[in-house]
Amino acid sequence: MSLQTVSTSAFRSAVRQKDVVLVSFSTKWCPPCKVLRPILEELGNEKRNRLSVLQVDCDASPELAARYGIMSTPTVIVFHQGEPVNKLVGLRPKKAYEAALARYA
């Protein structure tokens, strides 16, 4: 599963597609973001029936980055029923993302 990049205009409906949505706020030039991508793709494949994994390019959608207080990339936010419920800043091991999702997915 490849991460779906979401634009500002499609963001609201995209985070409501499933009960649980993991959104990676990143940039194309960020080395830790490149390391994170396969981790999130793997999580998306493992839990595809329970969650969606999306990506926001902060350079292309600065208003979304500002709305969610993104000060550093990568930042991953877990959305539950369209609302942000957990935020992880910086590159973390896969287990950290699994723990952030455990309550919801």
Side-chain angles (χ1 to χ4, degrees):
M1 162 192 240
S2 148
L3 297 183
Q4 176 187 353
T5 300
V6 181
S7 66
T8 302
S9 60
F11 186 80
R12 185 183 285 297
S13 63
V15 295
R16 295 175 190 267
Q17 284 179 350
K18 290 199 176 183
D19 261 4
V20 181
V21 179
L22 195 67
V23 181
S24 172
F25 289 83
S26 61
T27 58
K28 292 178 182 172
W29 50 265
C30 163
C33 299
K34 292 176 184 178
V35 173
L36 177 60
R37 186 179 183 95
I39 294 170
L40 297 182
E41 288 173 346
E42 190 175 318
L43 273 173
N45 285 330
E46 291 171 0
K47 299 179 180 288
R48 82 178 57 183
N49 295 329
R50 296 177 294 214
L51 70 96
S52 291
V53 182
L54 307 173
Q55 177 175 280
V56 171
D57 182 336
C58 294
D59 289 337
S61 300
E63 57 284 343
L64 276 177
R67 182 184 311 159
Y68 291 100
I70 307 304
M71 303 299 285
S72 177
T73 58
T75 295
V76 174
I77 299 179
V78 177
F79 286 80
H80 182 251
Q81 297 177 344
E83 298 299 321
V85 294
N86 204 336
K87 184 183 220 179
L88 296 102
V89 179
L91 180 61
R92 309 274 180 100
K94 182 180 174 187
K95 290 191 179 294
Y97 302 104
E98 289 172 330
L101 289 167
R103 181 174 172 194
Y104 308 101

